[in-house]
Amino acid sequence: PSPFEVDAFLVAVDVSRSLPAQSKWLERLLPAIVKLKRPFVIAACKCDAARPACMEELEALVKRCAKGTPIVETSARNAVNVDAAFLALASAVRRTNGRLHGGQSPRGGAAAESYADALGEVRSERARLTGQFCT
């Protein structure tokens, strides 16, 4: 027994690498988290270098092992959706309304923007700020 409780999980998956190398681990991890009945979100990391086939494999794996779990496409390099992954997780925890220990896990956090849409917004905001401060 652990001296502390885990209320939620953020599962990070590197989509710039081959998913088969990670899939065995994910196929064991995701059902285990579902059994714990804790909210969780999957952060597809390194979407700036993602392989399209890897994202498709990840979506299929999540549908098979943990249907309804949100996947948030992120890129720390481009500062895209990293905060959205944590906000989606916080939203899922909030929706449990104190039922974390033994209650049902309401997966399906706040909808995050697609990587492409979020990257466009980040670039637009950078250009706006650069224009304000570098003129």
Side-chain angles (χ1 to χ4, degrees):
S2 176
F4 61 91
E5 291 286 333
V6 176
D7 291 331
F9 296 90
L10 182 69
V11 179
V13 179
D14 183 350
V15 293
S16 69
R17 298 179 354 155
S18 173
L19 193 63
Q22 303 172 78
S23 65
K24 285 186 180 183
W25 174 76
L26 286 168
E27 286 174 351
R28 290 192 320 260
L29 177 69
L30 297 180
I33 296 173
V34 169
K35 282 183 182 179
L36 290 174
K37 299 180 180 176
R38 301 292 192 269
F40 66 102
V41 171
I42 296 174
C45 301
K46 299 184 182 180
C47 281
D48 53 299
R51 298 177 179 179
C54 191
M55 278 301 301
E56 291 171 8
E57 289 176 46
L58 177 60
E59 290 167 354
L61 178 75
V62 170
K63 188 175 183 179
R64 192 171 61 248
C65 296
K67 191 173 182 175
T69 300
I71 300 173
V72 181
E73 299 173 344
T74 67
S75 169
R77 173 186 283 170
N78 293 324
V80 175
N81 278 347
V82 174
D83 56 343
F86 287 97
L87 290 172
L89 186 60
S91 176
V93 169
R94 184 182 303 141
R95 282 194 315 275
T96 62
N97 293 327
R99 295 177 291 142
L100 287 175
H101 306 290
Q104 289 289 2
S105 172
R107 294 186 314 275
E113 294 179 282
S114 72
Y115 174 76
D117 291 343
L119 179 60
E121 285 186 23
V122 167
R123 287 181 175 162
S124 175
E125 182 65 9
R126 283 182 187 159
R128 184 185 71 77
L129 293 172
T130 301
Q132 283 182 334
F133 294 104
C134 296
T135 56

